Amino acid sequence: MGNKQSTNPRALAVTLLERVTDQGSYLNVALDQLLKQASLAPRDAGLLTNIVYGTMQHQLTLDYWLTPFIKKPKKMEHWVRLLLQTALYQLEYLDRVPARAIFFETTEIAKKRGNRGVAGLVTAILRQIQRVGVADLTQVQPLAKQLSLTASVPEWLVTKLLQQLGETKTRHLLTAINEPPRASIRVNQRLTTVPQLADNLKQQGIDVEASQLTPDALVASNGFLAGTPAFAAGQYTIQDESSMLVAPSLQLQPATQVLDACAAPGGKTTHIATYLSAAAGGQVVALDLHPHKVKLIRQNAKRLGVSDVVQAQALDARQVATVFADGQFDRVLVDAPCSGLGLLRRKPEIRYARQPADILNLAKVQLTLLNSVASKVKPGGILTYSTCTIVDEENKDVVAQFLAQHPEFTTITVKTKQPLKVPTAPYLRLYPDDYGTDGFFICCLQRKMG
């Protein structure tokens, strides 16, 4: 890649989309790496981010619109198709970018990466799209296909959401996942207060406002939140508002003994830790399968000043029977591995990577995890099950199967720090359109006495 191309946000966007679609890289990780290497002007970095996320978010729609204009699809190289998608995204979704700039830049990239023939083809396709216009999605039938193409979500998932949530809720949810995600931070109230931190960040030009979901959070509309002195000093951590509801649901006291069975990277572990006191004997044992992730939990605990109550260790949560005694913990958290379908706004590539079979396989893993930790909960203690997904198979269906096998447990109301507009019994389900957060599920199961 020549030096000139390496700072062209539109050319970089195609390179990045190739990494994600061909090599399976995570979009946010690949983008961070590229931004560090490319040293772009802020405006160009913004355009790159917008094009990459927008094209990925709307990929099914863009592809549907493009297909009629591509005469020999099998002969077209993948990067050329991606280049056309980025151009079409800019033409259809970005108001401020003039069409002539998009045409010129796209043709230049085609010429540099390919040859004059490729450039001619790309120009011809874009001109034809401009003349004819793109297909009207409102005419597509049946409804599941129409919503799939409008929101760029696979049809199998739209069908499932329609079955589980009905048409109105599904439409709202699909609109919400294509809106830009806001960043949220959890204020470390051991080291600062919410108003103090808000003032501090505003002085650095970062606009924050209070969360509607939890008093522990601030929501930011701009700024590099991992780059401030307050972040380095442990005054806050970056965490979605929805996942900040997990720690309060455990109803913690300073002396509580907690097992966090699937803990990395430690957002919920360190939140739990803020409720505990080493002097009172409180502790959270944080497990993860991978040693490098355990290191990450320890680093987060250290930065946030809660190392004294966090004991992180590498262990497969399915093996807890061999290490811990029955009834050893007052509280157990299973924040289970899941399909991540609640994160579609933040990680748009997830929608294309998941298949129906994944959901069934994950549900089995989730149930196995719950079964393996159940005996470690003291009588009267609480087992909280949480996921960042929005489908019943991984959420309420897993809970139902667990309760059928464990009559010694019963569901209790999910305690929150402030009243919410969604039900909190027999579980709490948050969809992305409820509060503009990730989708999330929390269920609290109490072990009966005796």
Side-chain angles (χ1 to χ4, degrees):
M1 199 188 280
N3 194 37
K4 195 172 175 196
Q5 187 167 323
S6 65
T7 57
N8 178 334
R10 290 179 172 90
L12 288 171
V14 178
T15 307
L16 200 62
L17 288 165
E18 279 181 293
R19 274 186 210 167
V20 176
T21 53
D22 298 351
Q23 297 164 28
S25 305
Y26 289 117
L27 182 54
N28 58 340
V29 176
L31 179 61
D32 284 349
Q33 285 170 346
L34 197 69
L35 287 172
K36 278 182 188 135
Q37 291 159 7
S39 61
L40 298 177
R43 191 175 163 187
D44 286 345
L47 181 63
L48 168 64
T49 303
N50 189 328
I51 292 173
V52 168
Y53 269 93
T55 304
M56 184 59 74
Q57 217 158 34
H58 299 286
Q59 201 155 37
L60 289 182
T61 316
L62 296 168
D63 224 37
Y64 181 77
W65 280 338
L66 267 178
T67 300
F69 299 98
I70 299 174
K71 300 288 179 280
K72 295 177 180 171
K74 285 186 178 158
K75 287 194 171 177
M76 182 175 277
E77 286 186 79
H78 188 223
W79 72 266
V80 180
R81 196 177 191 108
L82 289 172
L83 176 62
L84 284 164
Q85 285 176 8
T86 62
L88 188 52
Y89 167 70
Q90 293 169 78
L91 287 168
E92 291 296 323
Y93 292 97
L94 298 186
D95 300 335
R96 292 188 191 166
V97 186
R100 64 179 185 280
I102 298 165
F103 276 56
F104 175 76
E105 287 276 0
T106 306
T107 307
E108 284 297 298
I109 294 164
K111 209 181 289 177
K112 275 184 191 144
R113 269 200 75 164
N115 51 45
R116 285 189 177 280
V118 175
L121 174 67
V122 164
T123 308
I125 289 171
L126 291 178
R127 294 225 176 281
Q128 201 189 351
I129 289 172
Q130 203 178 28
R131 260 198 318 275
V132 178
V134 294
D136 178 1
L137 300 178
T138 61
Q139 301 306 304
V140 175
Q141 291 297 333
L143 178 65
K145 186 173 185 188
Q146 183 191 117
L147 294 179
S148 164
L149 288 170
T150 311
S152 193
V153 170
E155 201 174 331
W156 70 266
L157 181 53
V158 174
T159 303
K160 188 179 289 297
L161 293 171
L162 285 168
Q163 287 165 354
Q164 295 181 1
L165 302 173
E167 185 185 335
T168 305
K169 181 68 174 172
T170 299
R171 282 182 182 276
H172 288 160
L173 191 158
L174 293 174
T175 302
I177 61 164
N178 286 327
E179 287 163 359
R182 300 181 307 170
S184 57
I185 59 176
R186 175 170 58 78
V187 181
N188 183 1
Q189 302 196 51
R190 275 191 167 194
L191 300 181
T192 185
T193 66
V194 175
Q196 271 177 332
L197 183 64
D199 284 348
N200 175 342
L201 292 173
K202 278 175 186 163
Q203 282 166 20
Q204 294 176 58
I206 298 173
D207 298 317
V208 290
E209 59 186 60
S211 161
Q212 293 180 297
L213 204 55
T214 165
D216 293 337
L218 287 167
V219 181
S221 48
N222 68 329
F224 177 48
L225 291 162
T228 69
F231 179 83
Q235 291 184 9
Y236 66 86
T237 194
I238 296 163
Q239 189 177 348
D240 191 73
E241 296 161 89
S242 58
S243 77
M244 294 183 216
L245 300 177
V246 171
S249 79
L250 288 159
Q251 302 181 38
L252 300 160
Q253 300 296 327
T256 306
Q257 295 289 315
V258 188
L259 175 66
D260 184 351
C262 314
K268 298 175 194 75
T269 307
T270 53
H271 194 188
I272 289 166
T274 61
Y275 288 81
L276 309 177
S277 153
Q283 186 183 51
V284 52
V285 176
L287 308 181
D288 194 86
L289 196 52
H290 306 288
H292 70 279
K293 288 191 174 177
V294 172
K295 194 176 164 192
L296 205 56
I297 299 169
R298 289 189 183 127
Q299 284 168 351
N300 275 325
K302 189 176 178 189
R303 183 175 62 80
L304 293 160
V306 292
S307 296
D308 57 340
V309 289
V310 175
Q311 189 210 321
Q313 61 189 83
L315 181 71
D316 185 333
R318 289 169 289 194
Q319 310 297 321
V320 296
T322 58
V323 179
F324 303 108
D326 284 353
Q328 187 173 335
F329 295 98
D330 305 303
R331 305 285 185 263
V332 174
L333 170 62
V334 175
D335 182 52
C338 71
S339 62
L341 293 171
L343 310 176
L344 293 181
R345 175 189 291 164
R346 214 173 287 284
K347 297 184 175 176
E349 70 274 23
I350 286 176
R351 61 185 86 186
Y352 314 116
R354 293 286 175 256
Q355 299 299 329
D358 299 338
I359 287 175
L360 300 175
N361 292 333
L362 284 159
K364 286 179 191 152
V365 172
Q366 291 150 358
L367 185 59
T368 304
L369 287 168
L370 284 173
N371 284 335
S372 70
V373 301
S375 66
K376 307 305 161 196
V377 184
K378 272 182 191 163
I382 296 170
L383 167 58
T384 288
Y385 173 66
S386 64
T387 72
C388 55
T389 187
I390 50 177
V391 291
D392 291 347
E393 290 86 342
E394 296 181 82
N395 291 338
K396 73 183 182 85
D397 295 359
V398 171
V399 170
Q401 289 173 67
F402 175 78
L403 289 171
Q405 294 171 25
H406 292 272
E408 74 276 19
F409 281 88
T410 183
T411 58
I412 56 170
T413 300
V414 178
K415 287 277 195 294
T416 56
K417 281 191 163 182
Q418 61 194 46
L420 302 183
K421 63 183 180 187
V422 294
T424 51
Y427 36 70
L428 171 59
R429 286 194 294 190
L430 271 185
Y431 294 99
D433 59 312
D434 290 329
Y435 284 93
T437 65
D438 292 343
F440 217 81
F441 176 86
I442 302 173
C443 182
C444 294
L445 300 148
Q446 186 160 35
R447 188 169 183 179
K448 296 170 187 172
M449 298 297 286

